[in-house]
Amino acid sequence: MKRTLGTCYYPEHWEKSLWADDARRIVEAGLTWVRIGEFAWSQLEPKPGELRFEWLDEAIEVLGAAGLKVVLGTPTATPPRWMIDKHPDMIAVDVDGRPRKFGSRRHYCFSHTGYRKECARIVTLFAERYGKNPHVGAWQTDNEYGCHDTTISYSDAARDAFRAWCADRYGSIEALNTAWGNIFWSMEYNSFDQIDLPNLTVTEPNPAHALAFRRFTSDQVVSFNRLQTDIIKAHSKAPTSHNYMGRITDFDHYKVGDDLEIATWDSYPMGFLEDRVGADAAHQKTFARQGDPDFQAFHHDLYRAVGKGRWWVMEQQPGPVNWAPYNPAPLPGMVRLWSWEAFAHGAEAVCYFRWRQAPMAQEQMHAGMLRPDGVDAPAIVEARQVRDEIAAAPDVQNVQAPVALIFDYDADAAWAVQPHGAGLSYFGLVFDTYKALRRMGLSVDILRPEQRDFDGYKLVLGPGLMHMDAGLKQALTQVKAQVVIGPRSGARDQNMNIPLPLPPAIDGLDVVVDRVESLRPDSPVSLGNAGAFTGYRELLEGTADVVLRTAQGEAAVMSNGHTSYVAGWADVAGWCAILTPLLEKAGITVMDLPDGLRVRDTATERFWFNYGAEVVQYDGRAFDAASVTRDA
Ligand code: GAL
């Protein structure tokens, strides 16, 4: 499959007289795809039942006639104002019990059956009308599930649906009481109708209750999405997709992805830098105009897994955004770098958000490929360069990486419910592990926790997998590769209780977690010359070999054969020290890349990305600032 480009376009925002020229210029810039429709509900149905689809028919025709392929978005992220009058209780409710208001977007609760029916109705109208339209090359369901903290809703609709979910999952109230340990603090229930949502409790709610609610919420997103894909697939053969986000983990993306043919995600490297990457102020300053050098790559690898190999960037940052704490312009070259980085990780398409900067409403300050007056903005110039480069480059190629890193959304939920220390998160732990692998120049495949076949990998990592089911534990004992788990892997059973025998309870690995502690940010546990455990550490017992000790002499890593357990949240230097000898054993040569320089291998190409604002030297070569170098 050829690598392709695209953009996000809102025909409803512009005079019809502009559409044909926009389409012509989109084609001229080398773009193939144009995503439309995802927020257009009030223009398609200004009043209940009053349908006005003619303008969308015409827009699709104009874009298609110019040679573009349309990604048609369902408009369910933006129910119009009249919908709230019709279903006042469809509004999502925040953790403090406050209803979200109309006036932006994503104000619906996933559990509201009336709103679900409205969604089914509008999606059916879309699918029947455009399912066989030759210009519709793909579909997008809704827009960014989870954006603006809208996955979890504490509404009455959610409460009722949660009770039904509990009844279905646990069978009897006695079974639920036992699973959750409700004997503690007299929290036992007599019936499912007594169960409330785990917010506004006097002190923290039972973690088992909170985790069950997160699992329920995730299932609601899956079924909400499936409602749409079932309808679309009944009328259309075009692939379906959803645009996921950076570091939004409130639902199981793999399960949503199972109902879609393509995973896409919205990549805003500079937007993410300050509040999602978790970097210190110095790092933020260094990469203020580039974004974090590992954050995009991590999500490319994650969404390749979510998409079962097929994935795109649906929204690529083109210039300053409007929503980050600070919104500088990217360094010249970064739009090209970000685009190529996605292709290096196997993206089929990179679409820039948005075509023309909007002169009105919330995103006035968000750059586009064009200025509001239609004049070229810097992004389009770099997109044209990418157009010329991909014309001469090989097709999309995915190749198995030497390293596998398991990412489990359920573990993320369990850590969120019980972090055990301020600032500790599963995402943060896994991302630190990933950063270390990237510093060592390694390409990584992210795998889902249901993975059982690890053939071909040299190193398999499962840090922080709070609950590991028996099948995964068993599969890991069969792996020929080096296997690294811990900290907190297998620390809870599926109900969020401490399991017996004590963790990690892996056959053939004689290690027991004796005690755990969380650490103040200013009190890491030194690993000597090899970094530190920060935030969280464990004390281990057992007869396995101690292969690394803390500066105080406690076991930091213990191994039996090819399986190792890491007793803490290692920083990047710590992970490098832990993994280097294991990688050597596995026959992999590691690099020691300078900050900002990163490598990614495909079947036939090696890409070098310099996120730095200066030329950087490595291994006798010089890499320009904000540049991509492709060794074919
Ligand atoms: C995304 C969203 C778009 C737009 C964009 C601005 O999160 O999907 O609709 O708001 O951010 O950067």
Side-chain angles (χ1 to χ4, degrees), residues 153-165:
S153 164
Y154 296 89
S155 68
D156 289 354
R159 182 203 56 209
D160 294 348
F162 180 53
R163 288 174 177 168
W165 183 91

Side-chain angles (χ1 to χ4, degrees), residues 283 287 292-295 297 337 341 345 434-443 572 576 591-601 606-612 616 618 623 627-629:
H283 182 90
F287 295 105
D292 178 80
D294 298 309
F295 197 78
L337 185 157
E341 189 173 41
H345 287 255
Y434 183 83
K435 283 193 281 195
L437 294 166
R438 297 257 299 168
R439 175 178 292 187
M440 295 189 283
L442 296 165
S443 296
V572 170
C576 290
M591 305 181 190
D592 183 15
L593 293 173
D595 257 10
L597 186 66
R598 291 293 179 258
V599 169
R600 165 78 193 174
D601 293 328
R606 165 161 288 181
F607 288 90
W608 299 86
F609 297 98
N610 182 15
Y611 267 77
V616 69
Y618 182 72
F623 298 92
S627 72
V628 186
T629 307

Side-chain angles (χ1 to χ4, degrees), residues 10 39 105 143-144 147 243 266 268 315 321 323 353 363 366:
Y10 298 90
F39 299 128
R105 60 180 172 182
N143 189 79
E144 290 192 341
C147 188
N243 56 336
D266 298 343
Y268 291 92
E315 297 180 16
V321 298
W323 46 264
F353 183 92
E363 293 177 355
H366 195 298

Side-chain angles (χ1 to χ4, degrees), residues 29 63 107 116 241 304 456 485 500 534 540 544 564:
L63 296 165
H107 35 282
R116 282 185 177 225
S241 69
R304 195 170 62 250
I485 58 166
L500 297 178
T534 57
L540 305 182
S564 301

